[in-house]
Amino acid sequence: MNIKIPKNLKKVRTVNLTSEDLITFEKKIQKVYENGDINAPVHLSSGNENELISIFQYVAKKDWVFSSWRNHYHALLHGIDENYLFNEIVEGKSMSTNSTNPNFYSSSIVGGIIPIAIGVAQAIKLKKQNNKVWCFIGDMTYETGIFHEAYKYSKNFKLPIQFVVEDNGLSTNTPTNEAWGIKSKNISEDIIYYKYERGFPHHGTGNWVLF
Amino acid sequence: MNYLDSLIKSMEWLSDKDDTLFIGQSVKYSGNSIFNTLKTIKDKKKIEMPVFEDLQMGLSIGLALEGYVPITCYPRFDFLILACNQLINHLDKIRYMSNNKMKPRVIIRTSIGSKHPLNGGVQHTQDYTEIFKKICTEIDVIMLNEPQEILPAFKHAYQRKDSKSSLIIEHGDYYNEK
């Protein structure tokens, strides 16, 4: 596992879910989807179970978590009820899982979560609360202008936000490095970064489904 | 009371609330007509923003999710176009996406750029009111035509029980004409 946690972070949670639990959940979704019972795209996670279990030891229950269209693992690890999540996905909300207990926001627009995460972090700072914001983004989102504006702003104002870059090398099926002409990456040490290989396609399961 | 004074009074009424914040470029420093309506508001209620319109709108949503009521200012309608990802894809859809659990109340101020005595030109004077009324499914879009409409509009935006967000549009020329 190639993951480096910034030294200022402390473990605050015992993660009870195992990688097998996460994999089993997505396989359950896969089965329902392949039965043609979900009339919306599903974005299944796979291949980053251990990295996320490691990271969520540092995420407190009172923290806000922001994720993307591929959010099932993050939602489960932050404590969203498995049955609630399952029903939401079956209802067609795989791409936009949201919750107020625990606080969790996801969006299916590339980079869409980042400004909102910054606003929540600014509010937390204004109110002098001791929780924080976790913002999980992919490798293509990391390269966008909105990320760089937001990161600069959060750093300059010392906002309580932790960015995590999850690099599977692809944006839908476009190789991020090829599209940007990137030869090497120099990620700041205050950003958690890890590489992984996705086990499912961008959306769906890789199998033909008749709806 | 004229148009400008009604706006000033409305901002003062909003600034008396503990949970309001005024954010945008030129809320603390001069540079546009909206600043002229915020001169009497204490600096501690204001957050001066860089030019990052879409981030400003998302930041406003985030503040609202944590209980603030941001009055987020876009001095010209033409500039609000740059915030449409957060406005349309997020603020306008968040209730549906969250099964009505997330109800951020954001008050958006913008203005149709004035044409008199100086005409700001095609990138500074557009009126997109009708388009935004069509594209917004949740956000209430309100045009301030007369001075007497102004304070009730802002009071309603702050007090409305459904906590929906409001896009409140001013007309730059009315600052002098009405």
Side-chain angles (χ1 to χ4, degrees), chain A residues 114 141-154, chain B residues 55:
Chain A
I114 299 172
T141 305
Y142 170 76
E143 302 297 342
T144 60
I146 197 72
F147 169 75
H148 286 276
E149 286 181 7
Y151 176 66
K152 178 166 58 179
Y153 188 82
S154 71
Chain B
L55 207 156

Side-chain angles (χ1 to χ4, degrees), chain A residues 61-80:
Chain A
K61 179 148 191 179
K62 62 188 175 182
D63 290 347
W64 275 82
V65 170
F66 287 79
S67 180
S68 68
W69 46 94
R70 185 171 289 105
N71 57 56
H72 304 170
Y73 280 179
H74 308 86
L76 291 169
L77 288 165
H78 197 36
I80 290 181

